[in-house]
């Protein structure tokens, strides 16, 4: 092999070993860069080297935070960015968690490979298994028209379905709004026949539920763990009860705390799993709570 042939082979090898892009940095502000994609494509979470246009050396590493038609916004992870710098794809590594070993041959902007390393707005649907409890003090008239009091402890289960939207507030906080249909089904026994002349008591309510929750993500990997809390508003769509009267079943506000994990399937989709505890504000006669276990499917935007 002649020296010229060897030099040509080395040049070809180098040209295929790193991926270059026509995209350039159009503006730098603090630790953020505005990128003109110029026909190239990028995904949220992709990492790139910035190449100085004068020295042709790597000067910084950035991560794509937001993508719009023809433009992208990135965070500077390390180094210094200058206007006019070109982008070079950063090879996947165990630190960037861009791809698993079996995906190491995939390109970094493939939708089917790897997973997002930053939080993005998303939406999804969930189904839930609901476990409810209620303690009620019941006032009734016996067969002699004398006012009596009794109590009943009730429990039961139901199902729910809902849709949600997650809005990213910063790098670790997400606000979730959701709406759905939930069943509150409980049944139990009273000490005396205070539930419409029976000791068998129940409450069956179908709610239109609206929730607002603030979620904090302490772990952001393929399994993104969160904890949070918020409030919900429940509007009774249908109701029947032998333990409660009509005035006790209408609308309710609940306080909710919970946690969960988002299992990332790829860059576009994840499986949201959560467990949440809803506490109804206690009255003089009724105390109620509900635990919901939810799972579903979600799409990153």
């Amino acid at each position: 092999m002649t020296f010229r042939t060897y030099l040509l082979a080395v040049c070809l090898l180098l040209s295929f070993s790193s991926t270059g892009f026509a995209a350039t940095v159009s503006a730098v502000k603090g630790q953020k860069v505005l990128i003109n994609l110029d026909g190239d494509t990028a995904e949220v979470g992709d990492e790139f080297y910035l190449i100085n246009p004068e020295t042709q050396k790597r000067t910084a590493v950035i991560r794509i935070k937001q993508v719009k038609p023809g433009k992208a916004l990135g965070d500077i992870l390390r180094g210094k960015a200058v206007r006019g710098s070109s982008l070079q794809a950063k090879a996947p590594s165990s630190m960037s968690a861009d791809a698993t070993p079996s995906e190491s041959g995939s390109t970094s902007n493939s939708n089917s490979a790897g997973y997002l390393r930053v939080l993005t707005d998303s939406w999804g649907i969930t189904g839930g298994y609901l476990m409810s409890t209620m303690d009620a003090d019941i006032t009734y008239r016996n067969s002699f028209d004398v006012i009596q009091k009794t109590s009943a402890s009730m429990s039961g289960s139901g199902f729910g379905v809902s849709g949600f939207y997650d809005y990213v507030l910063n790098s670790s906080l997400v606000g979730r709004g959701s709406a759905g249909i939930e069943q509150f089904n409980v049944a139990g026994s009273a000490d005396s026949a205070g539930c419409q002349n029976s000791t068998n008591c129940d409450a069956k309510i179908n709610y239109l539920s609206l929730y607002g929750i603030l979620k904090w993500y302490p772990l952001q990997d393929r399994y993104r763990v969160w904890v949070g809390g918020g409030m919900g508003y429940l509007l009774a769509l249908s109701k029947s009860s032998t333990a409660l009267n009509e005035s006790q079943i209408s609308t309710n506000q609940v306080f909710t705390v919970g946690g969960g994990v988002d299992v990332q399937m790829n860059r576009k989709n994840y499986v949201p799993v959560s467990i949440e505890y809803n506490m109804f504000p206690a009255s003089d006669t009724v105390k109620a709570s509900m635990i919901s276990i939810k799972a579903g499917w979600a799409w990153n935007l």
Side-chain angles (χ1 to χ4, degrees):
M1 179 183 290
T2 64
F3 176 76
R4 179 176 297 178
T5 303
Y6 176 78
L7 182 60
L8 178 60
V10 171
C11 291
L12 289 174
L13 179 62
L14 291 175
S15 66
F16 284 106
S17 63
S18 62
T19 305
F21 287 78
T24 57
V25 175
S26 59
V28 180
K29 186 175 182 180
Q31 291 298 109
K32 297 186 181 299
V33 292
L34 182 62
I35 301 163
N36 184 359
L37 292 176
D38 196 21
D40 288 327
T41 59
E43 294 281 341
V44 172
D46 284 346
E47 292 182 4
F48 295 92
Y49 293 112
L50 293 188
I51 309 300
N52 188 293
E54 297 180 358
T55 64
Q56 296 301 309
K57 293 183 178 180
R58 296 171 179 173
T59 61
V61 176
I62 66 168
R63 178 181 294 162
I64 302 299
K65 183 178 181 181
Q66 187 177 5
V67 178
K68 293 184 177 181
K71 296 185 181 296
L73 182 66
D75 291 328
I76 301 174
L77 301 182
R78 60 179 181 270
K80 184 178 180 180
V82 296
R83 184 177 179 182
S85 296
S86 59
L87 276 65
Q88 182 185 80
K90 186 175 181 292
S93 68
S94 59
M95 291 295 292
S96 66
D98 186 59
T100 60
S102 63
E103 297 165 339
S104 58
S106 302
T107 57
S108 64
N109 61 353
S110 171
N111 289 338
S112 60
Y115 53 90
L116 292 182
R117 291 151 293 172
V118 293
L119 297 172
T120 63
D121 293 355
S122 62
W123 70 278
I125 54 176
T126 60
Y129 178 70
L130 314 176
M131 296 172 287
S132 306
T133 62
M134 176 184 288
D135 293 326
D137 294 330
I138 303 166
T139 301
Y140 69 101
R141 292 181 180 273
N142 63 17
S143 57
F144 298 101
D145 203 29
V146 177
I147 295 177
Q148 300 283 308
K149 290 186 177 182
T150 188
S151 61
S153 293
M154 297 169 282
S155 62
S157 61
F159 297 94
V161 61
S162 63
F164 69 86
Y165 186 90
D166 278 2
Y167 180 77
V168 176
L169 302 174
N170 59 35
S171 60
S172 60
L173 289 178
V174 171
R176 168 171 290 185
S178 65
I181 302 294
E182 294 181 331
Q183 295 177 329
F184 185 93
N185 295 332
V186 292
S189 298
D191 298 331
S192 57
C195 296
Q196 296 183 4
N197 299 321
S198 173
T199 58
N200 297 321
C201 305
D202 63 34
K204 300 177 180 180
I205 311 168
N206 290 323
Y207 283 116
L208 169 64
S209 60
L210 303 172
Y211 289 97
I213 299 176
L214 182 65
K215 304 193 298 177
W216 174 57
Y217 284 83
L219 297 177
Q220 297 182 39
D221 209 317
R222 184 177 292 275
Y223 299 92
R224 298 191 302 209
V225 178
W226 64 269
V227 293
M231 296 186 66
Y233 182 78
L234 308 181
L235 174 64
L237 299 178
S238 64
K239 51 194 175 182
S240 66
S241 177
T242 59
L244 307 176
N245 57 48
E246 287 292 324
S247 63
Q248 293 175 296
I249 308 174
S250 54
T251 60
N252 280 289
Q253 288 183 331
V254 294
F255 301 98
T256 179
V257 294
V261 58
D262 297 338
V263 183
Q264 298 194 70
M265 309 306 293
N266 50 51
R267 291 177 178 269
K268 292 296 184 183
N269 301 104
Y270 65 91
V271 175
V273 180
S274 66
I275 180 169
E276 300 168 20
Y277 175 76
N278 296 329
M279 182 178 66
F280 292 73
S283 69
D284 294 336
T285 57
V286 179
K287 295 180 181 179
S289 64
M290 182 169 61
I291 296 175
S292 58
I293 301 174
K294 300 178 181 179
W297 187 259
W299 292 262
N300 291 313
L301 298 179

